[in-house]
Amino acid sequence: MSNKIEFDYSSFLVNSSKQKWTFSQALKSIIPTFGTVWNASVHDERPLSERLQAEALQVLSSHINDESNIIRLIRLARIEGITDLEIKLPYTLDEEQINYILENTFTDISQSTDDFDLLHVHLNEKTQ
């Protein structure tokens, strides 16, 4: 069963620069799974894409590199049961960046640059 979500990383970068962090958000940034477990303890009926966006705003940081943020996003998606992510990027990732993401996740990745830079991520069933 496929479960595809689109995530606009460019918008995240803009929105995250405006956000002031609370102590719990800083903790969630340091320990990403803490935030997901914390949020999962409260029954959340928002659509999956909205939940992922909200969690990403709490866990991802504009102060770390994009590859690390994408790895965190993939881990959040895996916890949420998402099988496919399409991530809209502000630029095309180079081969070294893609390889770093692949080394730290169990995914298949491809890119397209039709109208904008898009990273296609398929989360394989095996977890890391």
Side-chain angles (χ1 to χ4, degrees):
M1 181 171 151
S2 181
N3 180 334
K4 185 180 194 179
I5 298 291
E6 295 178 5
F7 184 86
D8 190 338
Y9 187 74
S10 301
S11 291
F12 155 75
L13 291 174
V14 171
N15 292 333
S16 69
S17 66
K18 298 175 187 175
Q19 182 179 6
K20 293 188 188 326
W21 279 17
T22 64
F23 174 74
S24 66
Q25 289 170 322
L27 185 58
K28 291 173 191 176
S29 173
I30 295 168
I31 310 169
T33 53
F34 171 79
T36 304
V37 171
W38 178 284
N39 291 341
S41 67
V42 177
H43 186 62
D44 192 341
E45 294 187 16
R46 289 180 292 177
L48 190 53
S49 60
E50 287 180 27
R51 278 199 321 259
L52 183 65
Q53 183 71 32
E55 290 172 7
L57 280 172
Q58 294 179 8
V59 173
L60 306 185
S61 170
S62 59
H63 301 290
I64 63 171
N65 65 40
D66 293 331
E67 303 92 294
S68 294
N69 272 334
I70 291 169
I71 290 167
R72 287 179 176 190
L73 180 63
I74 290 169
R75 289 179 180 160
L76 287 173
R78 187 177 305 282
I79 290 168
E80 288 290 345
I82 296 167
T83 59
D84 293 279
L85 273 176
E86 286 197 346
I87 306 169
K88 184 177 177 183
L89 298 169
Y91 63 93
T92 303
L93 298 178
D94 63 32
E95 187 175 340
E96 186 177 317
Q97 291 171 304
I98 295 287
N99 287 335
Y100 181 76
I101 294 167
L102 288 169
E103 289 170 7
N104 289 282
T105 61
F106 194 75
T107 58
D108 296 316
I109 295 176
S110 63
Q111 289 188 94
S112 63
T113 56
D114 298 332
D115 296 328
F116 46 84
D117 296 313
L118 195 62
L119 187 68
H120 307 276
V121 181
H122 175 73
L123 287 73
N124 297 317
E125 289 186 33
K126 181 180 176 185
T127 61
Q128 279 189 331

